[in-house]
């Protein structure tokens, strides 16, 4: 027995497996919604194969349980009624039903008057009979038609009693999907060769609105509309008709340099990674954004004036005197007489830098030719030079083959040959060094001066200790006040009243108020002491944090300073030069300050060595 009623069919008890999926009750036949689909199909097949059919069948709900197609089932019901009862399908009546002709996903049935033997008079002629919808559904199931019966058409054909061919079932074709497509979402993808309109309203016939499309960083250019998969259909036998998978598109192969693919809630987009010029490869359809501008005309007051570029720049012509080129990753193949300013990347010169400057805020500077009477400064980068004459040079790491009459300061300095230079670094390595005419050769080993920093740390430690003592003293006074019996009693009562754990009667209110007046001075003192304790603790914590920062600076600047000169070719003086390890750069200084320190720095440190021949090797450890 299953459910609230009998699980018996007319022909006998249902098998245990079927009874778990189809429940026959006094008020109808129910299906377990958890067993919908293949499990329910097997149960239904068992009912029909055993010679039964469903009377009063709700066909729409029946199909939903079988194949998941049709109106939704009640969401709050674990068992759904789909028929009135299970009744036997008499073999004699089964013989009344013909086979249907199936063609092109449709089943055609020929309806005509039917006759059956009279069970009370088997020797008499057959008597007229009538088909029933429930039997028709069961018979078609056993003949392989399990889906798509047109209930209205079958009911009408049976009611008419006429001979007629009727389409009684149709397969549900699969719904085709939609292929993925790519849509343009930016107007900047195309050139605009219309004349540029000036602020005055006039047209500049020598300029175009947008001859070379420029793209802003994070601008969306293309949007991929994803493919939409089709919906599976069902054939007459109840088998799934899978739709063809629509073609897909991949944005990634179309994204060249300077592009990225973003997946957002709005969809998949091709987005520019940086500001730059748009390039389209007509062969592959690949889009790229390049921030590098290539010029062959040079930079001068007549042709270009000063340039302020948003990206990389490559120049094959000369950069004239006093012209300024600002950008990133600046590459020049001709001589430079002007000033190069890079926000990052690399400044690379194939020829010479004469009378100008090269400054890089975050990157390296490489000069293959000669730097003469120039300034070369890499705030956070390396400087590599072939030959330098009368230059001021600074950088994190400086490497020069031959330096003459230069002022150089760095963290690590490597020179092949130095003549008449004033140089300073934490680590100095020179192959050969000597004076140049009237200019002496000065070498400084940068050594951190911890005295001032140690003094500041000591003062801070004393200050933190004082605040900690003050906090402890005030806390002791606070504890004494809070432990007074009257104060403790009042605070306990006030806390309970505030938390509504205790409610005062009208007679108790005046007594509570008197108690508050009695301890009023102590409460004020407690509040003041609490503020003083918190203030002292905050000052102590702030001082401790500052001490930790200063210790970190001290540790970062600590290390070995060294000077190594392989060959002395004349008088060379080596001294220490102390610097304040306050976390600032030792070498990123203005040009005038670098000259002043290096040429007039004899009094800044102790003398390490003086010599005119041999070699020097010194270390601070």
């Amino acid at each position: 027995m299953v459910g609230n009623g009998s699980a018996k069919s007319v022909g006998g008890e249902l098998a245990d497996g079927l009874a778990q999926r189809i429940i026959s009750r006094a008020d109808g036949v129910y299906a377990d919604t958890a067993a919908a689909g293949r499990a329910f199909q097997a149960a239904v097949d068992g009912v029909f194969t055993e010679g039964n059919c469903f009377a009063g069948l709700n066909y729409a709900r029946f199909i939903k349980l079988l194949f998941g197609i049709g109106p939704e089932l009640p969401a709050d019901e674990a068992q759904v009624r789909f028929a009135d009862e299970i009744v036997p399908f008499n073999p004699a009546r089964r013989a009344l039903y013909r086979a249907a002709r199936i063609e092109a996903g449709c089943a055609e049935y020929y309806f005509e008057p039917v006759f059956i033997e009279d069970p009370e008079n088997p020797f008499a002629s057959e008597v007229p009979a009538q088909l029933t919808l429930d039997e028709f559904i069961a018979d078609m199931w056993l003949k392989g038609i399990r889906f798509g019966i047109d209930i209205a058409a079958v009911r009408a054909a049976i009611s008419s009693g006429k001979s007629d061919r009727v389409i009684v079932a149709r397969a549900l074709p699969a719904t085709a999907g939609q292929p993925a497509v790519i849509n343009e979402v930016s107007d900047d993808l195309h050139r605009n060769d219309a004349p540029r309109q000036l602020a005055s309203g006039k047209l500049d016939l020598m300029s175009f609105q947008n001859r070379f499309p420029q793209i802003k960083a994070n601008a969306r250019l293309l949007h991929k509309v994803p493919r939409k998969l089709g919906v599976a259909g069902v054939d007459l036998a109840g088998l799934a008709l899978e739709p063809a998978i629509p073609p897909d598109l991949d944005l990634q192969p179309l994204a060249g340099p300077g592009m990225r693919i973003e997946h957002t809630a709005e969809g998949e987009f091709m987005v520019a990674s940086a500001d730059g010029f748009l390039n389209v490869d007509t062969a592959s359809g690949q889009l790229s954004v390049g921030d590098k501008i290539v010029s062959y005309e040079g930079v001068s007051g007549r042709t270009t004036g000063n340039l302020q570029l948003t990206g990389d720049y490559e120049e094959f012509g000369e950069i004239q005197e006093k012209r300024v080129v600002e950008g990133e990753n600046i590459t020049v193949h001709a001589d430079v007489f002007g000033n190069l300013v890079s926000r990052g990347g690399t400044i690379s010169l194939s020829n010479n830098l004469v009378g100008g400057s090269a400054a890089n805020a975050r990157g390296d500077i490489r000069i293959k030719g000669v730097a003469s009477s120039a300034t070369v400064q890499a705030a956070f980068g390396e400087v590599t030079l072939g030959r330098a004459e009368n230059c001021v040079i600074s950088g994190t790491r400086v490497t020069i083959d031959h330096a003459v009459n230069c002022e150089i300061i760095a963290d690590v300095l490597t020179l092949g040959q130095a003549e008449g230079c004033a140089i300073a670094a934490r680590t100095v390595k020179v192959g050969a060094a000597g004076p140049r005419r009237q200019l002496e050769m000065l070498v400084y080993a940068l050594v951190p001066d911890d005295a001032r920093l140690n003094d500041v740390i000591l003062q801070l430690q004393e200050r933190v200790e004082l605040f900690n003592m003050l906090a402890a003293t005030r806390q002791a006074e606070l504890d004494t006040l809070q432990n007074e019996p009257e104060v403790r009693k009042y605070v306990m009562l006030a806390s309970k009243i505030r938390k509504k754990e205790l409610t005062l009667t009208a007679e108790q209110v005046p007594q509570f108020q008197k108690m508050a007046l009695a301890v009023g001075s102590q409460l004020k003192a407690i509040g003041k002491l609490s503020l003083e304790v918190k203030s002292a603790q905050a000052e102590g914590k702030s001082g401790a944090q500052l001490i930790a920062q200063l210790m970190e600076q001290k540790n970062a600047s600590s290390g070995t300073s060294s000077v190594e000169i392989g060959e002395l070719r004349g008088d060379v003086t080596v001294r220490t030069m102390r610097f304040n390890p306050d976390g600032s750069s030792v070498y990123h200084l203005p040009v005038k300050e670098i000259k002043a320190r290096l040429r007039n720095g004899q009094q800044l440190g102790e003398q390490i060595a003086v010599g005119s021949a041999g070699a020097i090797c010194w270390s601070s450890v």
Side-chain angles (χ1 to χ4, degrees), residues 482-559:
Q482 289 177 336
N483 287 327
E484 290 184 4
E486 294 300 325
V487 173
R488 187 168 62 250
K489 182 178 180 182
Y490 172 78
V491 171
M492 181 182 66
L493 288 175
S495 176
K496 290 185 177 181
I497 293 172
R498 185 170 56 254
K499 296 178 180 178
K500 297 183 179 181
E501 296 176 358
L502 180 65
T503 303
L504 298 179
T505 63
E507 293 79 8
Q508 292 173 331
V509 170
Q511 297 177 4
F512 181 74
Q513 293 174 345
K514 288 181 181 180
M515 184 183 295
L517 290 174
V519 297
S521 59
Q522 291 94 323
L523 293 177
K524 289 181 180 179
I526 288 173
K528 182 180 179 181
L529 287 172
S530 296
L531 291 176
E532 291 179 357
V533 169
K534 290 180 180 178
S535 177
Q537 290 175 342
E539 289 289 344
K541 183 178 180 181
S542 176
Q545 291 175 346
L546 184 55
I547 291 172
Q549 293 177 3
L550 294 177
M551 291 298 295
E552 186 177 349
Q553 289 181 8
K554 179 180 177 180
N555 294 333
S557 64
S558 63

Side-chain angles (χ1 to χ4, degrees), residues 6-210:
S6 172
K8 292 183 179 180
S9 70
V10 173
E13 285 203 19
L14 292 172
D16 290 342
L18 301 185
Q20 293 175 0
R21 301 174 180 88
I22 297 178
I23 302 94
S24 180
R25 301 178 183 171
D27 60 339
V29 183
Y30 290 77
D32 186 355
T33 56
R38 291 187 179 274
F40 186 64
Q41 292 175 24
V44 169
D45 189 64
V47 171
F48 289 151
T49 302
E50 291 177 1
N52 302 311
C53 66
F54 297 106
L57 180 66
N58 183 330
Y59 190 71
R61 185 167 289 184
F62 183 63
I63 292 298
K64 181 67 175 180
L65 289 166
L66 287 168
F67 306 108
I69 295 174
E72 293 298 326
L73 299 173
D76 56 345
E77 296 183 13
Q79 296 178 350
V80 178
R81 188 180 187 278
F82 68 92
D84 294 340
E85 59 179 330
I86 300 175
V87 297
F89 192 176
N90 194 318
R93 288 194 56 80
R94 187 186 300 274
L96 300 177
Y97 295 88
R98 298 173 175 270
R101 187 179 68 175
I102 299 174
E103 184 177 356
C106 294
E108 184 182 71
Y109 189 88
Y110 182 68
F111 288 94
E112 62 179 347
V114 294
F115 299 88
I116 191 172
E117 291 183 356
D118 185 355
E120 296 181 358
N121 189 4
F123 300 103
S125 301
E126 293 180 334
V127 298
Q130 188 175 21
L131 306 181
T132 69
L133 179 60
D134 295 332
E135 291 177 348
F136 184 86
I137 293 171
D139 186 70
M140 291 299 105
W141 179 282
L142 295 174
K143 291 175 179 175
I145 300 176
R146 303 185 172 187
F147 174 83
I149 294 178
D150 188 340
I151 299 299
V154 173
R155 183 179 284 117
I158 292 174
S159 300
S160 69
K162 298 178 180 179
S163 298
D164 193 9
R165 293 188 180 276
V166 178
I167 301 296
V168 294
R170 290 180 175 82
L172 177 65
T175 303
Q178 297 178 356
V181 295
I182 296 176
N183 294 332
E184 296 180 2
V185 292
S186 173
D187 295 332
D188 295 331
L189 287 171
H190 303 282
R191 288 180 176 179
N192 185 354
D193 291 341
R196 178 179 298 171
Q197 187 174 13
L198 303 177
S200 61
K202 295 182 179 181
L203 296 178
D204 182 0
L205 299 179
M206 300 301 293
S207 302
F208 299 107
Q209 290 274 5
N210 187 16

Side-chain angles (χ1 to χ4, degrees), residues 149-328:
I149 294 178
D150 188 340
I151 299 299
V154 173
R155 183 179 284 117
I158 292 174
S159 300
S160 69
K162 298 178 180 179
S163 298
D164 193 9
R165 293 188 180 276
V166 178
I167 301 296
V168 294
R170 290 180 175 82
L172 177 65
T175 303
Q178 297 178 356
V181 295
I182 296 176
N183 294 332
E184 296 180 2
V185 292
S186 173
D187 295 332
D188 295 331
L189 287 171
H190 303 282
R191 288 180 176 179
N192 185 354
D193 291 341
R196 178 179 298 171
Q197 187 174 13
L198 303 177
S200 61
K202 295 182 179 181
L203 296 178
D204 182 0
L205 299 179
M206 300 301 293
S207 302
F208 299 107
Q209 290 274 5
N210 187 16
R211 179 66 180 176
F212 301 101
Q214 285 185 284
I215 305 299
K216 293 293 184 181
N218 300 317
R220 291 177 173 179
L221 305 180
L222 300 178
H223 174 220
K224 174 186 173 181
V225 179
R227 65 182 176 183
K228 185 177 181 181
L229 298 178
V231 180
V234 183
D235 66 6
L236 294 177
L239 301 177
L241 296 174
E242 297 296 338
I245 298 178
D248 196 9
L249 292 172
D250 187 5
L251 277 180
Q252 193 63 53
L254 301 179
M259 293 290 187
R260 69 176 186 271
I261 305 301
E262 281 190 356
H263 299 271
T264 69
E266 302 174 65
E268 185 177 352
F269 293 88
M270 182 184 293
V271 180
S273 300
D275 296 341
F277 294 92
L278 177 68
N279 297 307
V280 180
D281 187 335
T282 55
S284 64
Q286 187 181 73
L287 275 67
S288 62
V289 171
D291 54 2
K292 185 175 183 180
I293 301 173
V294 180
S295 171
Y296 295 89
E297 299 178 353
V299 178
S300 67
R302 179 180 60 83
T303 58
T304 62
N306 297 336
L307 297 178
Q308 290 185 337
L309 309 172
T310 58
D312 298 352
Y313 178 73
E314 185 173 6
E315 177 61 69
F316 286 85
E318 288 186 355
I319 298 179
Q320 293 189 357
E321 186 179 1
K322 296 182 179 180
R323 294 303 100 199
V324 178
V325 176
E326 183 177 352
E328 298 176 7

